[in-house]
């Protein structure tokens, strides 16, 4: 019995050991190494907090964080506003037999390379691109607008990608919502608007928050889209980190900036944790 009992206790550990080893090797240990690196000077020497103090005292570094938060917040809000109606149409208005095909068409942007999508938007928004040609052709403008290498271009590229991600999370939540909730609200005299605001929206809030959090995490840590579509006119944190590595070779400062960025993501998670843990009875 004792041998059997020890085997039963050892089995769970044997099952999770590969995952734990993978996490330690590719996350915990690199993070510890990055933490130690962030506390060293670029030219060598002992431990120092100069890399962190530089972030808070240098206005250009602080501005990069503000830019990241502004772009990420804008992208998240716009993506939610566009994704919810889209998910509602897919879940409520598209016939059941066509929903799978509609979802496949909706996630088509995920099937192409992230870099290819960014360069495609760069061509669309360029001075000789489709948008400017259309505006000039219709007589709305006389000279091409500066659309590429701007924050607008960065936000557009991000929204194109993240609307689909949010649509999937919200659609899954809408499909899990029992029709009895809306029937009960109607029986109690609630109209469609009140039913949506007081029943449907609160019950689908977990799907919104999960998608919003994923959007926040992926957007604030993205380097490719701001680099291609935004250029270097308005730096965000990932660009600033890569600049320390590529141009200055300052790995300690890059490590400190990366840890600060991770701290912001952690704060965002703690702010969303209440809704991420909502469970529907």
């Amino acid at each position: 019995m004792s041998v059997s009992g020890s085997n039963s206790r050892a089995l769970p550990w044997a099952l999770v050991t590969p995952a734990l080893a993978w996490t330690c090797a590719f996350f915990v240990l690199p993070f510890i190494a990055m933490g130690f690196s962030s506390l060293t000077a670029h030219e060598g020497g002992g431990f120092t907090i100069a890399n962190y103090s530089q972030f808070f005292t240098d206005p250009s570094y602080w501005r990069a964080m503000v830019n990241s938060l502004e772009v990420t917040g804008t992208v998240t809000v716009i993506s939610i506003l566009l994704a919810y109606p889209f998910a509602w149409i897919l879940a409520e208005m598209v016939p059941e037999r066509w929903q799978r095909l509609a979802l496949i068409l909706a996630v088509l942007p995920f099937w192409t390379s992230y870099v290819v999508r960014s360069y495609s938007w760069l061509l669309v928004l360029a001075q000789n691109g489709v948008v400017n040609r259309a505006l000039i052709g219709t007589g709305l403008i006389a000279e091409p607008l500066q659309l590429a290498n701007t924050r607008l271009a960065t936000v557009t590229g991000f929204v194109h990608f993240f609307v689909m991600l949010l649509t999937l999370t919200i659609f899954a939540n809408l499909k899990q919502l029992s029709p009895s909730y809306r029937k009960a609200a109607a029986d109690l005299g609630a109209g469609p608007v009140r039913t949506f605001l007081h029943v449907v929206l609160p019950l689908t809030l977990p799907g919104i928050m999960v998608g919003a959090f994923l959007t926040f995490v992926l957007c604030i840590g993205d380097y490719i889209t701001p680099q291609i579509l935004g250029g270097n006119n308005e730096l965000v944190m990932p660009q600033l980190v890569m600049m320390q590595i590529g141009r200055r070779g300052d790995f300690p400062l890059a490590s400190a900036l990366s840890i600060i960025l991770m701290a912001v993501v952690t704060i965002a998670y703690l702010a969303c944790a209440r809704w991420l843990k909502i469970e529907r009875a």
Side-chain angles (χ1 to χ4, degrees):
M1 292 294 292
S2 60
V3 174
S4 176
S6 63
N7 289 338
S8 63
R9 288 192 297 271
L11 181 60
W13 285 105
L15 294 175
V16 301
T17 295
L20 289 175
W22 181 275
T23 303
C24 289
F26 296 102
F27 178 77
V28 177
L29 293 179
F31 180 77
I32 293 174
M34 187 171 66
F36 277 114
S37 176
S38 70
L39 295 172
T40 60
H42 177 36
E43 302 298 335
F47 287 101
T48 177
I49 61 170
N51 296 317
Y52 292 96
S53 62
Q54 185 173 348
F55 169 78
F56 292 102
T57 56
D58 192 323
S60 62
Y61 290 3
W62 183 249
R63 186 61 207 171
M65 176 61 76
V66 173
N67 290 339
S68 290
L69 292 174
E70 289 177 351
V71 169
T72 302
T74 303
V75 169
T76 303
V77 171
I78 294 176
S79 298
I80 291 173
L81 294 177
L82 294 177
Y84 203 103
F86 189 24
W88 178 274
I89 292 171
L90 289 177
E92 302 294 331
M93 302 182 66
V94 175
E96 191 84 24
R97 66 180 181 275
W98 295 109
Q99 286 182 358
R100 182 173 298 180
L101 176 61
L103 285 174
I104 293 175
L105 295 176
V107 300
L108 278 178
F110 288 97
W111 295 6
T112 58
S113 168
Y114 198 45
V115 177
V116 171
R117 284 198 302 271
S118 296
Y119 276 112
S120 298
W121 274 111
L122 185 62
L123 294 175
V124 170
L125 299 175
Q127 288 196 344
N128 237 351
V130 176
V131 174
N132 273 315
R133 286 184 177 181
L135 292 175
I136 294 175
T138 55
L140 294 176
I141 59 174
E143 297 292 332
L145 301 175
Q146 179 62 44
L147 299 176
N149 298 322
T150 62
R151 178 178 291 194
L152 174 63
T154 301
V155 170
T156 302
F158 274 136
V159 168
H160 174 231
F161 179 78
F162 290 116
V163 162
M164 298 301 102
L165 178 64
L166 273 156
T167 298
L168 293 178
T169 60
I170 297 172
F171 173 83
N173 231 212
L174 286 170
K175 292 299 292 183
Q176 294 173 2
L177 187 62
S178 174
S180 60
Y181 290 108
R182 276 171 280 191
K183 292 178 181 178
D187 289 341
L188 294 172
V193 176
R194 293 188 63 186
T195 299
F196 174 77
L197 293 177
H198 297 286
V199 178
V200 177
L201 184 60
L203 290 177
T204 55
L205 190 58
I208 298 174
M209 295 307 297
V210 168
F213 177 70
L214 291 175
T215 299
F216 182 92
V217 172
L218 295 174
C219 184
I220 201 171
D222 189 279
Y223 168 77
I224 295 176
T225 299
Q227 183 68 19
I228 295 176
L229 294 177
N232 291 318
N233 296 326
E234 193 177 54
L235 289 180
V236 293
M237 282 296 288
Q239 288 176 295
L240 186 61
V241 171
M242 292 300 297
M243 189 178 295
Q244 307 310 314
I245 298 173
R247 295 186 182 180
R248 300 180 57 191
D250 194 342
F251 288 91
L253 181 56
S255 298
L257 294 175
S258 299
I259 288 179
I260 291 171
L261 191 59
M262 290 182 65
V264 171
V265 173
T266 302
I267 293 172
Y269 170 76
L270 294 175
C272 298
R274 172 186 172 187
W275 292 279
L276 296 177
K277 294 181 179 179
I278 289 179
E279 293 182 1
R280 192 166 60 246

